[in-house]
mmCIF file with all atom_site columns, all heavy atoms in Angstrom:
data_model
loop_
_atom_site.group_PDB
_atom_site.id
_atom_site.type_symbol
_atom_site.label_atom_id
_atom_site.label_alt_id
_atom_site.label_comp_id
_atom_site.label_asym_id
_atom_site.label_entity_id
_atom_site.label_seq_id
_atom_site.pdbx_PDB_ins_code
_atom_site.Cartn_x
_atom_site.Cartn_y
_atom_site.Cartn_z
_atom_site.occupancy
_atom_site.B_iso_or_equiv
_atom_site.pdbx_formal_charge
_atom_site.auth_seq_id
_atom_site.auth_comp_id
_atom_site.auth_asym_id
_atom_site.auth_atom_id
_atom_site.pdbx_PDB_model_num
ATOM 1   N N   . ARG A 1 1  ? 13.527  11.235 -10.761 1.00 0.00 ? 20 ARG A N   1
ATOM 2   C CA  . ARG A 1 1  ? 13.009  9.889  -11.003 1.00 0.00 ? 20 ARG A CA  1
ATOM 3   C C   . ARG A 1 1  ? 13.643  9.289  -12.283 1.00 0.00 ? 20 ARG A C   1
ATOM 4   O O   . ARG A 1 1  ? 13.636  9.907  -13.380 1.00 0.00 ? 20 ARG A O   1
ATOM 5   C CB  . ARG A 1 1  ? 11.452  9.863  -11.207 1.00 0.00 ? 20 ARG A CB  1
ATOM 6   C CG  . ARG A 1 1  ? 10.927  8.540  -11.485 1.00 0.00 ? 20 ARG A CG  1
ATOM 7   C CD  . ARG A 1 1  ? 9.428   8.532  -11.667 1.00 0.00 ? 20 ARG A CD  1
ATOM 8   N NE  . ARG A 1 1  ? 8.998   9.268  -12.810 1.00 0.00 ? 20 ARG A NE  1
ATOM 9   C CZ  . ARG A 1 1  ? 8.811   8.737  -14.074 1.00 0.00 ? 20 ARG A CZ  1
ATOM 10  N NH1 . ARG A 1 1  ? 9.047   7.423  -14.241 1.00 0.00 ? 20 ARG A NH1 1
ATOM 11  N NH2 . ARG A 1 1  ? 8.365   9.453  -14.996 1.00 0.00 ? 20 ARG A NH2 1
ATOM 12  N N   . LEU A 1 2  ? 14.190  8.075  -12.147 1.00 0.00 ? 21 LEU A N   1
ATOM 13  C CA  . LEU A 1 2  ? 14.623  7.378  -13.335 1.00 0.00 ? 21 LEU A CA  1
ATOM 14  C C   . LEU A 1 2  ? 13.459  6.930  -14.180 1.00 0.00 ? 21 LEU A C   1
ATOM 15  O O   . LEU A 1 2  ? 12.469  6.463  -13.633 1.00 0.00 ? 21 LEU A O   1
ATOM 16  C CB  . LEU A 1 2  ? 15.456  6.215  -12.985 1.00 0.00 ? 21 LEU A CB  1
ATOM 17  C CG  . LEU A 1 2  ? 16.817  6.434  -12.212 1.00 0.00 ? 21 LEU A CG  1
ATOM 18  C CD1 . LEU A 1 2  ? 17.458  5.083  -11.876 1.00 0.00 ? 21 LEU A CD1 1
ATOM 19  C CD2 . LEU A 1 2  ? 17.702  7.291  -12.957 1.00 0.00 ? 21 LEU A CD2 1
ATOM 20  N N   . GLY A 1 3  ? 13.532  7.152  -15.512 1.00 0.00 ? 22 GLY A N   1
ATOM 21  C CA  . GLY A 1 3  ? 12.466  6.556  -16.328 1.00 0.00 ? 22 GLY A CA  1
ATOM 22  C C   . GLY A 1 3  ? 12.295  5.115  -16.180 1.00 0.00 ? 22 GLY A C   1
ATOM 23  O O   . GLY A 1 3  ? 13.266  4.376  -16.090 1.00 0.00 ? 22 GLY A O   1
ATOM 24  N N   . GLY A 1 4  ? 11.091  4.608  -15.929 1.00 0.00 ? 23 GLY A N   1
ATOM 25  C CA  . GLY A 1 4  ? 10.836  3.272  -15.714 1.00 0.00 ? 23 GLY A CA  1
ATOM 26  C C   . GLY A 1 4  ? 10.573  2.996  -14.223 1.00 0.00 ? 23 GLY A C   1
ATOM 27  O O   . GLY A 1 4  ? 10.110  1.940  -13.874 1.00 0.00 ? 23 GLY A O   1
ATOM 28  N N   . ASN A 1 5  ? 10.933  3.923  -13.285 1.00 0.00 ? 24 ASN A N   1
ATOM 29  C CA  . ASN A 1 5  ? 10.739  3.752  -11.909 1.00 0.00 ? 24 ASN A CA  1
ATOM 30  C C   . ASN A 1 5  ? 9.372   4.190  -11.503 1.00 0.00 ? 24 ASN A C   1
ATOM 31  O O   . ASN A 1 5  ? 8.967   3.903  -10.353 1.00 0.00 ? 24 ASN A O   1
ATOM 32  C CB  . ASN A 1 5  ? 11.803  4.514  -11.053 1.00 0.00 ? 24 ASN A CB  1
ATOM 33  C CG  . ASN A 1 5  ? 13.002  3.633  -10.766 1.00 0.00 ? 24 ASN A CG  1
ATOM 34  O OD1 . ASN A 1 5  ? 13.117  2.496  -11.123 1.00 0.00 ? 24 ASN A OD1 1
ATOM 35  N ND2 . ASN A 1 5  ? 13.957  4.232  -10.014 1.00 0.00 ? 24 ASN A ND2 1
ATOM 36  N N   . GLY A 1 6  ? 8.633   4.852  -12.288 1.00 0.00 ? 25 GLY A N   1
ATOM 37  C CA  . GLY A 1 6  ? 7.338   5.402  -11.967 1.00 0.00 ? 25 GLY A CA  1
ATOM 38  C C   . GLY A 1 6  ? 6.306   4.356  -11.748 1.00 0.00 ? 25 GLY A C   1
ATOM 39  O O   . GLY A 1 6  ? 5.627   4.244  -10.727 1.00 0.00 ? 25 GLY A O   1
ATOM 40  N N   . VAL A 1 7  ? 6.111   3.533  -12.814 1.00 0.00 ? 26 VAL A N   1
ATOM 41  C CA  . VAL A 1 7  ? 5.098   2.445  -12.696 1.00 0.00 ? 26 VAL A CA  1
ATOM 42  C C   . VAL A 1 7  ? 5.561   1.361  -11.725 1.00 0.00 ? 26 VAL A C   1
ATOM 43  O O   . VAL A 1 7  ? 4.685   0.734  -11.088 1.00 0.00 ? 26 VAL A O   1
ATOM 44  C CB  . VAL A 1 7  ? 4.721   1.858  -14.090 1.00 0.00 ? 26 VAL A CB  1
ATOM 45  C CG1 . VAL A 1 7  ? 5.927   1.077  -14.702 1.00 0.00 ? 26 VAL A CG1 1
ATOM 46  C CG2 . VAL A 1 7  ? 3.509   0.984  -14.042 1.00 0.00 ? 26 VAL A CG2 1
ATOM 47  N N   . ALA A 1 8  ? 6.841   1.147  -11.577 1.00 0.00 ? 27 ALA A N   1
ATOM 48  C CA  . ALA A 1 8  ? 7.331   0.259  -10.557 1.00 0.00 ? 27 ALA A CA  1
ATOM 49  C C   . ALA A 1 8  ? 6.960   0.772  -9.207  1.00 0.00 ? 27 ALA A C   1
ATOM 50  O O   . ALA A 1 8  ? 6.441   0.051  -8.308  1.00 0.00 ? 27 ALA A O   1
ATOM 51  C CB  . ALA A 1 8  ? 8.806   0.141  -10.681 1.00 0.00 ? 27 ALA A CB  1
ATOM 52  N N   . ASN A 1 9  ? 7.124   2.013  -8.957  1.00 0.00 ? 28 ASN A N   1
ATOM 53  C CA  . ASN A 1 9  ? 6.716   2.746  -7.675  1.00 0.00 ? 28 ASN A CA  1
ATOM 54  C C   . ASN A 1 9  ? 5.259   2.499  -7.429  1.00 0.00 ? 28 ASN A C   1
ATOM 55  O O   . ASN A 1 9  ? 4.854   2.058  -6.267  1.00 0.00 ? 28 ASN A O   1
ATOM 56  C CB  . ASN A 1 9  ? 7.042   4.213  -7.759  1.00 0.00 ? 28 ASN A CB  1
ATOM 57  C CG  . ASN A 1 9  ? 6.520   5.007  -6.586  1.00 0.00 ? 28 ASN A CG  1
ATOM 58  O OD1 . ASN A 1 9  ? 6.424   4.531  -5.471  1.00 0.00 ? 28 ASN A OD1 1
ATOM 59  N ND2 . ASN A 1 9  ? 6.210   6.239  -6.837  1.00 0.00 ? 28 ASN A ND2 1
ATOM 60  N N   . SER A 1 10 ? 4.396   2.674  -8.374  1.00 0.00 ? 29 SER A N   1
ATOM 61  C CA  . SER A 1 10 ? 2.927   2.634  -8.161  1.00 0.00 ? 29 SER A CA  1
ATOM 62  C C   . SER A 1 10 ? 2.575   1.168  -7.838  1.00 0.00 ? 29 SER A C   1
ATOM 63  O O   . SER A 1 10 ? 1.768   0.927  -6.859  1.00 0.00 ? 29 SER A O   1
ATOM 64  C CB  . SER A 1 10 ? 2.159   3.071  -9.406  1.00 0.00 ? 29 SER A CB  1
ATOM 65  O OG  . SER A 1 10 ? 2.429   4.399  -9.647  1.00 0.00 ? 29 SER A OG  1
ATOM 66  N N   . THR A 1 11 ? 3.052   0.235  -8.545  1.00 0.00 ? 30 THR A N   1
ATOM 67  C CA  . THR A 1 11 ? 2.694   -1.184 -8.243  1.00 0.00 ? 30 THR A CA  1
ATOM 68  C C   . THR A 1 11 ? 3.293   -1.743 -7.046  1.00 0.00 ? 30 THR A C   1
ATOM 69  O O   . THR A 1 11 ? 2.604   -2.477 -6.282  1.00 0.00 ? 30 THR A O   1
ATOM 70  C CB  . THR A 1 11 ? 2.956   -2.056 -9.517  1.00 0.00 ? 30 THR A CB  1
ATOM 71  O OG1 . THR A 1 11 ? 4.404   -2.035 -9.820  1.00 0.00 ? 30 THR A OG1 1
ATOM 72  C CG2 . THR A 1 11 ? 2.204   -1.668 -10.801 1.00 0.00 ? 30 THR A CG2 1
ATOM 73  N N   . VAL A 1 12 ? 4.524   -1.434 -6.787  1.00 0.00 ? 31 VAL A N   1
ATOM 74  C CA  . VAL A 1 12 ? 5.142   -1.943 -5.578  1.00 0.00 ? 31 VAL A CA  1
ATOM 75  C C   . VAL A 1 12 ? 4.433   -1.448 -4.333  1.00 0.00 ? 31 VAL A C   1
ATOM 76  O O   . VAL A 1 12 ? 4.050   -2.174 -3.504  1.00 0.00 ? 31 VAL A O   1
ATOM 77  C CB  . VAL A 1 12 ? 6.622   -1.500 -5.513  1.00 0.00 ? 31 VAL A CB  1
ATOM 78  C CG1 . VAL A 1 12 ? 7.217   -1.631 -4.091  1.00 0.00 ? 31 VAL A CG1 1
ATOM 79  C CG2 . VAL A 1 12 ? 7.444   -2.351 -6.543  1.00 0.00 ? 31 VAL A CG2 1
ATOM 80  N N   . PHE A 1 13 ? 4.294   -0.110 -4.248  1.00 0.00 ? 32 PHE A N   1
ATOM 81  C CA  . PHE A 1 13 ? 3.645   0.411  -3.008  1.00 0.00 ? 32 PHE A CA  1
ATOM 82  C C   . PHE A 1 13 ? 2.152   0.282  -2.965  1.00 0.00 ? 32 PHE A C   1
ATOM 83  O O   . PHE A 1 13 ? 1.577   0.166  -1.886  1.00 0.00 ? 32 PHE A O   1
ATOM 84  C CB  . PHE A 1 13 ? 4.110   1.893  -2.842  1.00 0.00 ? 32 PHE A CB  1
ATOM 85  C CG  . PHE A 1 13 ? 5.555   2.030  -2.409  1.00 0.00 ? 32 PHE A CG  1
ATOM 86  C CD1 . PHE A 1 13 ? 6.508   2.330  -3.293  1.00 0.00 ? 32 PHE A CD1 1
ATOM 87  C CD2 . PHE A 1 13 ? 5.957   1.728  -1.111  1.00 0.00 ? 32 PHE A CD2 1
ATOM 88  C CE1 . PHE A 1 13 ? 7.860   2.449  -3.023  1.00 0.00 ? 32 PHE A CE1 1
ATOM 89  C CE2 . PHE A 1 13 ? 7.313   1.841  -0.751  1.00 0.00 ? 32 PHE A CE2 1
ATOM 90  C CZ  . PHE A 1 13 ? 8.275   2.179  -1.703  1.00 0.00 ? 32 PHE A CZ  1
ATOM 91  N N   . GLY A 1 14 ? 1.539   0.218  -4.175  1.00 0.00 ? 33 GLY A N   1
ATOM 92  C CA  . GLY A 1 14 ? 0.071   -0.087 -4.148  1.00 0.00 ? 33 GLY A CA  1
ATOM 93  C C   . GLY A 1 14 ? -0.231  -1.454 -3.584  1.00 0.00 ? 33 GLY A C   1
ATOM 94  O O   . GLY A 1 14 ? -1.109  -1.647 -2.726  1.00 0.00 ? 33 GLY A O   1
ATOM 95  N N   . GLY A 1 15 ? 0.619   -2.420 -3.981  1.00 0.00 ? 34 GLY A N   1
ATOM 96  C CA  . GLY A 1 15 ? 0.436   -3.748 -3.415  1.00 0.00 ? 34 GLY A CA  1
ATOM 97  C C   . GLY A 1 15 ? 0.624   -3.756 -1.915  1.00 0.00 ? 34 GLY A C   1
ATOM 98  O O   . GLY A 1 15 ? -0.103  -4.407 -1.145  1.00 0.00 ? 34 GLY A O   1
ATOM 99  N N   . ILE A 1 16 ? 1.710   -3.111 -1.501  1.00 0.00 ? 35 ILE A N   1
ATOM 100 C CA  . ILE A 1 16 ? 1.989   -3.092 -0.009  1.00 0.00 ? 35 ILE A CA  1
ATOM 101 C C   . ILE A 1 16 ? 0.849   -2.411 0.767   1.00 0.00 ? 35 ILE A C   1
ATOM 102 O O   . ILE A 1 16 ? 0.383   -2.903 1.753   1.00 0.00 ? 35 ILE A O   1
ATOM 103 C CB  . ILE A 1 16 ? 3.343   -2.284 0.187   1.00 0.00 ? 35 ILE A CB  1
ATOM 104 C CG1 . ILE A 1 16 ? 4.533   -3.046 -0.316  1.00 0.00 ? 35 ILE A CG1 1
ATOM 105 C CG2 . ILE A 1 16 ? 3.483   -1.951 1.735   1.00 0.00 ? 35 ILE A CG2 1
ATOM 106 C CD1 . ILE A 1 16 ? 5.825   -2.306 -0.278  1.00 0.00 ? 35 ILE A CD1 1
ATOM 107 N N   . ALA A 1 17 ? 0.335   -1.326 0.181   1.00 0.00 ? 36 ALA A N   1
ATOM 108 C CA  . ALA A 1 17 ? -0.746  -0.632 0.872   1.00 0.00 ? 36 ALA A CA  1
ATOM 109 C C   . ALA A 1 17 ? -1.987  -1.558 0.963   1.00 0.00 ? 36 ALA A C   1
ATOM 110 O O   . ALA A 1 17 ? -2.655  -1.558 2.078   1.00 0.00 ? 36 ALA A O   1
ATOM 111 C CB  . ALA A 1 17 ? -1.091  0.609  0.028   1.00 0.00 ? 36 ALA A CB  1
ATOM 112 N N   . GLY A 1 18 ? -2.329  -2.273 -0.073  1.00 0.00 ? 37 GLY A N   1
ATOM 113 C CA  . GLY A 1 18 ? -3.449  -3.186 0.026   1.00 0.00 ? 37 GLY A CA  1
ATOM 114 C C   . GLY A 1 18 ? -3.289  -4.192 1.081   1.00 0.00 ? 37 GLY A C   1
ATOM 115 O O   . GLY A 1 18 ? -4.186  -4.509 1.886   1.00 0.00 ? 37 GLY A O   1
ATOM 116 N N   . ASP A 1 19 ? -2.075  -4.822 1.196   1.00 0.00 ? 38 ASP A N   1
ATOM 117 C CA  . ASP A 1 19 ? -1.811  -5.830 2.220   1.00 0.00 ? 38 ASP A CA  1
ATOM 118 C C   . ASP A 1 19 ? -1.940  -5.237 3.612   1.00 0.00 ? 38 ASP A C   1
ATOM 119 O O   . ASP A 1 19 ? -2.616  -5.793 4.509   1.00 0.00 ? 38 ASP A O   1
ATOM 120 C CB  . ASP A 1 19 ? -0.345  -6.377 2.068   1.00 0.00 ? 38 ASP A CB  1
ATOM 121 C CG  . ASP A 1 19 ? -0.243  -7.227 0.770   1.00 0.00 ? 38 ASP A CG  1
ATOM 122 O OD1 . ASP A 1 19 ? -1.257  -7.732 0.257   1.00 0.00 ? 38 ASP A OD1 1
ATOM 123 O OD2 . ASP A 1 19 ? 0.940   -7.278 0.293   1.00 0.00 ? 38 ASP A OD2 1
ATOM 124 N N   . VAL A 1 20 ? -1.327  -4.027 3.796   1.00 0.00 ? 39 VAL A N   1
ATOM 125 C CA  . VAL A 1 20 ? -1.336  -3.418 5.111   1.00 0.00 ? 39 VAL A CA  1
ATOM 126 C C   . VAL A 1 20 ? -2.737  -2.931 5.532   1.00 0.00 ? 39 VAL A C   1
ATOM 127 O O   . VAL A 1 20 ? -3.155  -3.179 6.717   1.00 0.00 ? 39 VAL A O   1
ATOM 128 C CB  . VAL A 1 20 ? -0.325  -2.245 5.112   1.00 0.00 ? 39 VAL A CB  1
ATOM 129 C CG1 . VAL A 1 20 ? -0.416  -1.447 6.483   1.00 0.00 ? 39 VAL A CG1 1
ATOM 130 C CG2 . VAL A 1 20 ? 1.131   -2.784 4.974   1.00 0.00 ? 39 VAL A CG2 1
ATOM 131 N N   . MET A 1 21 ? -3.481  -2.350 4.650   1.00 0.00 ? 40 MET A N   1
ATOM 132 C CA  . MET A 1 21 ? -4.784  -1.832 4.973   1.00 0.00 ? 40 MET A CA  1
ATOM 133 C C   . MET A 1 21 ? -5.742  -2.963 5.323   1.00 0.00 ? 40 MET A C   1
ATOM 134 O O   . MET A 1 21 ? -6.546  -2.747 6.216   1.00 0.00 ? 40 MET A O   1
ATOM 135 C CB  . MET A 1 21 ? -5.309  -1.003 3.797   1.00 0.00 ? 40 MET A CB  1
ATOM 136 C CG  . MET A 1 21 ? -4.681  0.344  3.636   1.00 0.00 ? 40 MET A CG  1
ATOM 137 S SD  . MET A 1 21 ? -5.574  1.438  2.439   1.00 0.00 ? 40 MET A SD  1
ATOM 138 C CE  . MET A 1 21 ? -5.496  0.390  0.924   1.00 0.00 ? 40 MET A CE  1
ATOM 139 N N   . ALA A 1 22 ? -5.675  -4.055 4.603   1.00 0.00 ? 41 ALA A N   1
ATOM 140 C CA  . ALA A 1 22 ? -6.546  -5.166 4.876   1.00 0.00 ? 41 ALA A CA  1
ATOM 141 C C   . ALA A 1 22 ? -6.330  -5.704 6.273   1.00 0.00 ? 41 ALA A C   1
ATOM 142 O O   . ALA A 1 22 ? -7.271  -6.199 6.905   1.00 0.00 ? 41 ALA A O   1
ATOM 143 C CB  . ALA A 1 22 ? -6.275  -6.341 3.844   1.00 0.00 ? 41 ALA A CB  1
ATOM 144 N N   . LYS A 1 23 ? -5.144  -5.721 6.776   1.00 0.00 ? 42 LYS A N   1
ATOM 145 C CA  . LYS A 1 23 ? -4.869  -6.196 8.169   1.00 0.00 ? 42 LYS A CA  1
ATOM 146 C C   . LYS A 1 23 ? -5.249  -5.069 9.124   1.00 0.00 ? 42 LYS A C   1
ATOM 147 O O   . LYS A 1 23 ? -5.773  -5.330 10.208  1.00 0.00 ? 42 LYS A O   1
ATOM 148 C CB  . LYS A 1 23 ? -3.365  -6.540 8.331   1.00 0.00 ? 42 LYS A CB  1
ATOM 149 C CG  . LYS A 1 23 ? -2.984  -7.725 7.452   1.00 0.00 ? 42 LYS A CG  1
ATOM 150 C CD  . LYS A 1 23 ? -1.494  -7.951 7.418   1.00 0.00 ? 42 LYS A CD  1
ATOM 151 C CE  . LYS A 1 23 ? -1.145  -9.087 6.498   1.00 0.00 ? 42 LYS A CE  1
ATOM 152 N NZ  . LYS A 1 23 ? 0.325   -9.259 6.372   1.00 0.00 ? 42 LYS A NZ  1
ATOM 153 N N   . TRP A 1 24 ? -4.954  -3.826 8.809   1.00 0.00 ? 43 TRP A N   1
ATOM 154 C CA  . TRP A 1 24 ? -5.240  -2.662 9.641   1.00 0.00 ? 43 TRP A CA  1
ATOM 155 C C   . TRP A 1 24 ? -6.756  -2.544 10.005  1.00 0.00 ? 43 TRP A C   1
ATOM 156 O O   . TRP A 1 24 ? -7.117  -2.401 11.181  1.00 0.00 ? 43 TRP A O   1
ATOM 157 C CB  . TRP A 1 24 ? -4.803  -1.331 9.088   1.00 0.00 ? 43 TRP A CB  1
ATOM 158 C CG  . TRP A 1 24 ? -5.394  -0.076 9.483   1.00 0.00 ? 43 TRP A CG  1
ATOM 159 C CD1 . TRP A 1 24 ? -6.603  0.506  9.010   1.00 0.00 ? 43 TRP A CD1 1
ATOM 160 C CD2 . TRP A 1 24 ? -5.005  0.803  10.540  1.00 0.00 ? 43 TRP A CD2 1
ATOM 161 N NE1 . TRP A 1 24 ? -6.874  1.607  9.699   1.00 0.00 ? 43 TRP A NE1 1
ATOM 162 C CE2 . TRP A 1 24 ? -5.852  1.881  10.634  1.00 0.00 ? 43 TRP A CE2 1
ATOM 163 C CE3 . TRP A 1 24 ? -3.842  0.755  11.412  1.00 0.00 ? 43 TRP A CE3 1
ATOM 164 C CZ2 . TRP A 1 24 ? -5.693  2.940  11.502  1.00 0.00 ? 43 TRP A CZ2 1
ATOM 165 C CZ3 . TRP A 1 24 ? -3.677  1.815  12.290  1.00 0.00 ? 43 TRP A CZ3 1
ATOM 166 C CH2 . TRP A 1 24 ? -4.658  2.858  12.360  1.00 0.00 ? 43 TRP A CH2 1
ATOM 167 N N   . VAL A 1 25 ? -7.628  -2.734 9.040   1.00 0.00 ? 44 VAL A N   1
ATOM 168 C CA  . VAL A 1 25 ? -9.074  -2.469 9.271   1.00 0.00 ? 44 VAL A CA  1
ATOM 169 C C   . VAL A 1 25 ? -9.713  -3.569 10.149  1.00 0.00 ? 44 VAL A C   1
ATOM 170 O O   . VAL A 1 25 ? -10.811 -3.304 10.722  1.00 0.00 ? 44 VAL A O   1
ATOM 171 C CB  . VAL A 1 25 ? -9.823  -2.391 7.910   1.00 0.00 ? 44 VAL A CB  1
ATOM 172 C CG1 . VAL A 1 25 ? -9.290  -1.254 7.143   1.00 0.00 ? 44 VAL A CG1 1
ATOM 173 C CG2 . VAL A 1 25 ? -9.843  -3.634 7.134   1.00 0.00 ? 44 VAL A CG2 1
ATOM 174 N N   . THR A 1 26 ? -9.063  -4.719 10.296  1.00 0.00 ? 45 THR A N   1
ATOM 175 C CA  . THR A 1 26 ? -9.670  -5.732 11.121  1.00 0.00 ? 45 THR A CA  1
ATOM 176 C C   . THR A 1 26 ? -9.805  -5.324 12.592  1.00 0.00 ? 45 THR A C   1
ATOM 177 O O   . THR A 1 26 ? -10.690 -5.914 13.326  1.00 0.00 ? 45 THR A O   1
ATOM 178 C CB  . THR A 1 26 ? -8.900  -7.086 11.021  1.00 0.00 ? 45 THR A CB  1
ATOM 179 O OG1 . THR A 1 26 ? -7.513  -6.861 11.435  1.00 0.00 ? 45 THR A OG1 1
ATOM 180 C CG2 . THR A 1 26 ? -8.843  -7.538 9.592   1.00 0.00 ? 45 THR A CG2 1
ATOM 181 N N   . ASN A 1 27 ? -9.001  -4.394 12.981  1.00 0.00 ? 46 ASN A N   1
ATOM 182 C CA  . ASN A 1 27 ? -9.059  -3.873 14.372  1.00 0.00 ? 46 ASN A CA  1
ATOM 183 C C   . ASN A 1 27 ? -9.683  -2.537 14.520  1.00 0.00 ? 46 ASN A C   1
ATOM 184 O O   . ASN A 1 27 ? -9.516  -1.864 15.543  1.00 0.00 ? 46 ASN A O   1
ATOM 185 C CB  . ASN A 1 27 ? -7.693  -3.942 14.978  1.00 0.00 ? 46 ASN A CB  1
ATOM 186 C CG  . ASN A 1 27 ? -7.066  -5.289 15.046  1.00 0.00 ? 46 ASN A CG  1
ATOM 187 O OD1 . ASN A 1 27 ? -7.681  -6.271 15.386  1.00 0.00 ? 46 ASN A OD1 1
ATOM 188 N ND2 . ASN A 1 27 ? -5.749  -5.403 14.657  1.00 0.00 ? 46 ASN A ND2 1
ATOM 189 N N   . GLN A 1 28 ? -10.364 -2.068 13.437  1.00 0.00 ? 47 GLN A N   1
ATOM 190 C CA  . GLN A 1 28 ? -10.863 -0.694 13.408  1.00 0.00 ? 47 GLN A CA  1
ATOM 191 C C   . GLN A 1 28 ? -12.357 -0.721 13.291  1.00 0.00 ? 47 GLN A C   1
ATOM 192 O O   . GLN A 1 28 ? -13.035 -1.655 12.813  1.00 0.00 ? 47 GLN A O   1
ATOM 193 C CB  . GLN A 1 28 ? -10.250 0.099  12.299  1.00 0.00 ? 47 GLN A CB  1
ATOM 194 C CG  . GLN A 1 28 ? -8.782  0.117  12.225  1.00 0.00 ? 47 GLN A CG  1
ATOM 195 C CD  . GLN A 1 28 ? -8.149  0.752  13.461  1.00 0.00 ? 47 GLN A CD  1
ATOM 196 O OE1 . GLN A 1 28 ? -8.646  1.801  13.886  1.00 0.00 ? 47 GLN A OE1 1
ATOM 197 N NE2 . GLN A 1 28 ? -7.070  0.216  13.877  1.00 0.00 ? 47 GLN A NE2 1
ATOM 198 N N   . THR A 1 29 ? -13.011 0.335  13.734  1.00 0.00 ? 48 THR A N   1
ATOM 199 C CA  . THR A 1 29 ? -14.429 0.614  13.547  1.00 0.00 ? 48 THR A CA  1
ATOM 200 C C   . THR A 1 29 ? -14.597 1.902  12.791  1.00 0.00 ? 48 THR A C   1
ATOM 201 O O   . THR A 1 29 ? -13.628 2.758  12.734  1.00 0.00 ? 48 THR A O   1
ATOM 202 C CB  . THR A 1 29 ? -15.209 0.658  14.888  1.00 0.00 ? 48 THR A CB  1
ATOM 203 O OG1 . THR A 1 29 ? -14.614 1.764  15.670  1.00 0.00 ? 48 THR A OG1 1
ATOM 204 C CG2 . THR A 1 29 ? -15.111 -0.646 15.606  1.00 0.00 ? 48 THR A CG2 1
ATOM 205 N N   . LEU A 1 30 ? -15.753 2.131  12.212  1.00 0.00 ? 49 LEU A N   1
ATOM 206 C CA  . LEU A 1 30 ? -15.974 3.415  11.505  1.00 0.00 ? 49 LEU A CA  1
ATOM 207 C C   . LEU A 1 30 ? -16.161 4.521  12.527  1.00 0.00 ? 49 LEU A C   1
ATOM 208 O O   . LEU A 1 30 ? -16.925 4.413  13.411  1.00 0.00 ? 49 LEU A O   1
ATOM 209 C CB  . LEU A 1 30 ? -17.278 3.314  10.710  1.00 0.00 ? 49 LEU A CB  1
ATOM 210 C CG  . LEU A 1 30 ? -17.263 2.465  9.394   1.00 0.00 ? 49 LEU A CG  1
ATOM 211 C CD1 . LEU A 1 30 ? -18.603 2.321  8.785   1.00 0.00 ? 49 LEU A CD1 1
ATOM 212 C CD2 . LEU A 1 30 ? -16.225 3.083  8.391   1.00 0.00 ? 49 LEU A CD2 1
#
């Protein structure tokens, strides 16, 4: 890992995960 790519990794993919999960759960049940 290049120094400085770690927090970029977390925020980039964290944001993507939030967007995708929010859409995913609309068609799901527990």
Side-chain angles (χ1 to χ4, degrees):
R20 176 180 70 88
L21 297 180
N24 268 2
V26 68
N28 174 28
S29 295
T30 57
V31 163
F32 289 101
I35 291 171
D38 293 334
V39 172
M40 289 190 299
K42 295 171 183 174
W43 158 272
V44 299
T45 58
N46 298 315
Q47 305 298 318
T48 57
L49 288 172

